[in-house]
Amino acid sequence: MRNTRALAAAGAAVAVLGVAAPAAVADGGRVPNPSNIVALPSVIARGGQLTITVDGCPNGGHATSNAFERTNLTPVSGGNDTARGTATIHQDARPGSYDITVHCSGRSLTRPAAFTVIGGVRGGIGGSSATGATPTDMAIGGSLVAAAVVGSGVFWMRRRAEKRI
């Protein structure tokens, strides 16, 4: 009777291991765990794009921060369980350091002070404007170039006239 129970217990253990082994081999025998969060560039202006790379995230996931919207991370082919995503920093983000939290395969990892947001500079007319040169700017620049050409011509003609005397 004892041999029968021992044989049944051993058979059940083999059956459990037989079912679990393919799942363990398919993932290398380990559970994915996000690690090594890299944010580039580490210093970025408001409205800029931040590239987030995470190791240990073979199925992708998402990244969150107070400086940008939730960003999807997609697996990198041939990247050894690496995932990557691109986030756009909010235009109204306050200057300072920000954390990034990554969620992959049901696990989370937070990297404190992963990147720093710097404020934009408004240097007056045309300084750091996103719209480019206006027609007024072009007219002013063109007139300055024309004045420089006329002034150089007058100077050259006067110098030439002095040599004749």
Side-chain angles (χ1 to χ4, degrees):
M1 189 84 145
R2 290 183 191 169
N3 288 341
T4 308
R5 287 185 186 168
L7 187 59
V14 168
V16 168
L17 288 175
V19 171
V25 171
D27 194 25
R30 61 183 173 79
V31 176
N33 195 19
S35 64
N36 193 29
I37 300 171
V38 178
L40 292 175
S42 60
V43 177
I44 189 166
R46 292 178 281 200
Q49 289 195 329
L50 183 73
T51 301
I52 303 163
T53 306
V54 183
D55 293 336
C57 195
N59 302 320
H62 65 274
T64 58
S65 176
N66 291 335
F68 56 81
E69 297 293 326
R70 177 180 159 158
T71 301
N72 289 328
L73 302 172
T74 57
V76 176
S77 60
N80 296 335
D81 296 345
T82 301
R84 181 175 295 141
T86 303
T88 302
I89 304 299
H90 293 304
Q91 290 289 345
D92 60 350
R94 292 181 179 258
S97 296
Y98 286 89
D99 302 345
I100 294 178
T101 301
V102 173
H103 306 276
C104 296
S105 303
R107 296 185 179 228
S108 298
L109 177 67
T110 299
R111 178 171 176 212
F115 64 98
T116 302
V117 174
I118 57 174
V121 176
R122 293 283 180 188
I125 297 177
S128 183
S129 67
T131 58
T134 63
T136 304
D137 295 336
M138 296 298 289
I140 291 171
S143 63
L144 288 173
V145 169
V149 169
V150 169
S152 298
V154 168
F155 179 76
W156 182 70
M157 293 299 287
R158 287 193 61 197
R159 295 283 295 175
R160 191 170 169 204
E162 289 175 3
K163 290 182 180 180
R164 288 187 187 169
I165 298 180

